[in-house]
Amino acid sequence: MSELEILDLSVSFATGGGDLQALNKVTFKVPEHRIVGIVGESGCGKSTLIDAILGLLADNGRIDGGEILFEGRDLTKLGAKELREIRGPRISTVFQDPMGALNPVFRVGRQMTNIQYRSGLSKREKARRAAEMLRRVRMPDPEAALSRYPHEFSGGMKQRIAIAMAMMMEPALLIADEPTTALDATLEAATIDLLLELQNQIGCSMLYVSHHMGVIAELCDEVVVMYAGEVVERGTTRQVFLKPRHPYTQRLIECDPARLAGRAEKLPTIPGDIPDLRARPSGCVFAARCSLREEVCGEPPPENVREGHMARCHRAAEN
Amino acid sequence: MSAILEVRDLEVAFRVGPLVRRRSLLAVAGVSFDVRPGETFALVGESGSGKTTLARAVNRLQRVSAGSVNFEGRRIDTMSRGRIRPMRQRMAMMFQDPVGSLSPRMRVGDAVTEPFRIHKVEASLKEETERLLSLVGLPADFANRYPHQLSGGQARRVGVARAIALRPKLIIADEPTAGLDVSVQGEVLNLLNDLRSRLGLAMIIITHNLSVVSHVADRMAVMYLGRFVETGPTEEIFRAPKHPYTAALLSANPEPDPDKKSARISLPAEVPSLLARPAGCEFHTRCPWARDRCAKAAPRSEGRNRLVACHFPLAPNASPPEKETVQ
């Protein structure tokens, strides 16, 4: 069974220069207890996708079609009140900037008890649970931490508090949007370990968004590769990283300097820019930058699926 | 060949806290290194390790508390403000945040020729604009664009053009690829490598991204709490790190290969405060290999070409001892 299923989701934004189609028929599943990674570079639609799932699209954004199925309900059809009952207790989020998740003028303890307002517990019980959660994210001296303000913590510790808050209601789905990008390498490693441990204990599924291929390879069970608002490749982590079938995924993995042992004279790059999403190309979205481009690429590429490994490319059958 | 830049026992202190209880913290605590002509030297470390402060002190954007900085054989840390300015023509700085370091009201053409106006260097600004834009691989008509019309990678190229405008001998680049996508990051690093060999530049690159370092730097230094814990040729350090902190940093860099489950060395998350430096070896509070002696005596930097500040330098491929680190 899937915790979250996204079907043919299209989202556009009304801009001065015309409608910008940010997501085009995005389809993927997050199965129960699994971690699904979304990779892609700036402008690929990662953040729009998360906003759409959470019902937080900007005022000029609109869902043009498709479904977001969560626990049997289509989130695109729910009203603001029903969404509020899902956001937090059932779907929670951790964002890149932990300070954005914390209110700077309230003590951590007050914020952590406030978000339990639906639990019906006593004040004391809420405080006990808050301290317990901080202990689980390995905060030194959790009771004392409750009476401190967010600015008194380092970036890594603030992110731990944000993770503790996101996990406190034991959600069914955790959405993590670049949660380690602002952290240093050693803290990044520790935070990933922590997320894995909590995900295991709580038994939730996780949608992990990152542009860092190494982190995705290490953490996720399945991977969705996005480019210019489309899913270009989808499969298990081993399928996608070891036998990528879409040229964009292949180039992206090649570009990661962590992959190259020793010093490279010339680092690989992907020349060109993403297409203007106000005037999407009629064929393959990656064609303009693809070194394997052919005439047929002017036509929309079909989804080629083999052993659950999908690639949206005319030449996918060869790979 | 003699060094273009010589830094000796450099210290930078900041005074913090309320007036009555003013305390001093050492952001850079006694650092020495040389940069030779045409060489790229990388400063690596995590937030708060003092990388940026050190770079700013070298360029005299930050007052030096102790030690000396010699550039092209002249001592610059004690120079007067008026005398330091011409030196900055020969030592350029590239700041973090490619878009934020450009004035939003200045067109690209004006931004890349601003150094000529600041230093009152006679030149045909139109020709220089064309020369610089073509050197960094931007079309000439970009001269009329404003920063908000540029992508991150393009803005970074403008930053590079500004830095090389007056034909400097040394460029200090603070996080040149931070915030850029991997496909663009390669372009910027290729450009820096290319300019270095074409223009014979020496470079100091500051970064927390180790995979960047391995591709551009000849030598590197790893900073922790304002000190160098390990310095040496990049290739050697990557092959066999000797300081436990270097080993932890290198192991924390995941590769895009799901079958290589990394043998990560995990460190306790809390970095000590610069106001309360640990006694003995300053890394012992987080070091998986720490022994009794580490808490008592501070290690000295040993070695000539390769310096390691550790009582018990690691053997190649050492894995941490099997004990639960105290969190």
Side-chain angles (χ1 to χ4, degrees), chain A residues 32-51:
Chain A
E32 242 178 313
H33 308 309
R34 303 279 268 179
I35 306 180
V36 174
I38 297 190
V39 255
E41 300 185 287
S42 324
C44 75
K46 298 180 301 236
S47 303
T48 303
L49 175 65
I50 292 175
D51 289 346

Side-chain angles (χ1 to χ4, degrees), chain A residues 40-43 46 138 140 154 157 160 181-190 192-193 211-215 217-220 237-238 241-242 252-253 255-273 289, chain B residues 40 45-48 51 151 154 179-187 189-191 193-194 196 208-212 214-218 235 245 248-249 252-262 264 266-271 286 327:
Chain A
E41 300 185 287
S42 324
K46 298 180 301 236
R138 302 217 188 77
S154 65
M157 282 298 156
R160 275 164 195 248
T181 305
L183 302 179
D184 287 318
T186 56
L187 293 180
E188 175 172 63
I192 289 168
D193 289 342
H211 67 278
H212 194 321
M213 306 289 279
V215 171
E218 175 148 347
L219 184 68
C220 299
T237 306
R238 296 195 75 237
F241 280 90
L242 300 181
L252 203 56
I253 294 172
C255 281
D256 194 324
R259 194 188 56 87
L260 304 161
R263 187 168 176 167
E265 271 307 304
K266 268 256 179 278
L267 288 166
T269 63
I270 309 178
D273 293 307
R289 298 172 78 182
Chain B
T40 302
E46 301 188 287
S47 323
K51 311 180 293 274
S151 69
Q154 290 163 348
L180 299 181
D181 284 319
V182 277
S183 62
V184 182
Q185 173 177 300
E187 281 176 33
L189 295 176
N190 288 342
L191 172 67
N193 266 339
D194 178 46
R196 176 175 72 143
H208 65 274
N209 186 342
L210 282 160
S211 25
V212 165
S214 66
H215 294 295
V216 295
D218 303 304
E235 229 172 290
Y245 181 62
L249 272 184
N253 197 24
E255 279 180 52
D257 183 345
D259 285 349
K260 274 195 189 155
K261 287 293 174 205
S262 61
R264 208 155 52 200
S266 63
L267 299 179
E270 216 43 351
V271 183
R286 299 175 75 202
Q327 291 280 350

Side-chain angles (χ1 to χ4, degrees), chain A residues 246-248 251 270-271 284 286-293 297 313:
Chain A
H246 195 283
Y248 176 62
R251 295 292 96 75
I270 309 178
C284 168
F286 187 60
R289 298 172 78 182
C290 185
S291 54
L292 308 171
R293 181 180 54 238
C297 301
C313 175

Side-chain angles (χ1 to χ4, degrees), chain A residues 194-205:
Chain A
L194 181 68
L195 280 171
L196 264 177
E197 188 184 310
L198 288 175
Q199 184 256 349
N200 235 317
Q201 286 173 7
I202 290 170
C204 60
S205 356

Side-chain angles (χ1 to χ4, degrees), chain A residues 10-13 19-24 64 228 277-278 280:
Chain A
S10 296
V11 170
S12 62
F13 293 97
D19 275 7
L20 184 154
Q21 204 187 358
L23 295 182
N24 185 25
D64 295 324
L277 299 182
R278 284 170 297 202
R280 264 181 185 282

